[in-house]
């Protein structure tokens, strides 16, 4: 990959692509831009990507638990199906 694009260009393009994609979807999350930059550097492999995904998934469970303990809050607000 260094023959096609230099590292600084890969990091710049990866971060710009991730931030613009998040802005288009309306879910801005700055650490995702940092993750894209780190993975584009070439110093980290797929095993590090797996750790990032696993940590993201594991961080959702305390959010669901804590926010659903209150009767005034619900997280997530939409579970993907309608209750009738």
């Amino acid at each position: 990959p260094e023959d096609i694009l230099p590292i600084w260009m890969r990091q710049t393009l990866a971060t710009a692509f991730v931030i613009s994609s998040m802005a288009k979807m309306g879910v801005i999350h700055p650490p995702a831009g940092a993750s894209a930059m780190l993975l584009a550097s070439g110093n980290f492999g797929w095993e590090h990507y797996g750790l990032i995904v696993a940590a993201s998934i594991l961080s959702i469970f305390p959010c669901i638990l804590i926010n659903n303990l209150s009767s005034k809050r619900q997280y997530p607000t939409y579970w993907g199906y309608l209750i009738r």
Side-chain angles (χ1 to χ4, degrees):
E2 287 83 18
D3 297 335
I4 299 170
L5 286 175
I7 292 174
W8 66 270
M9 182 66 82
R10 283 188 300 175
Q11 290 177 324
T12 304
L13 290 174
T15 306
F17 177 74
V18 167
I19 290 173
S20 63
S21 299
M22 288 187 297
K24 180 73 175 168
M25 291 187 288
V27 287
I28 302 298
H29 183 66
S35 297
M37 186 176 73
L38 287 174
L39 292 171
S41 71
N43 296 332
F44 302 97
W46 285 102
E47 62 277 0
H48 292 96
Y49 179 73
L51 288 173
I52 292 170
V53 170
S56 299
I57 291 171
L58 287 174
S59 67
I60 291 174
F61 292 114
C63 296
I64 292 172
L65 178 69
I66 291 169
N67 282 303
N68 287 330
L69 287 175
S70 172
S71 62
K72 297 179 183 178
R73 294 186 294 186
Q74 180 184 356
Y75 178 82
T77 56
Y78 180 72
W79 286 88
Y81 60 89
L82 297 174
I83 299 173
R84 293 182 191 215

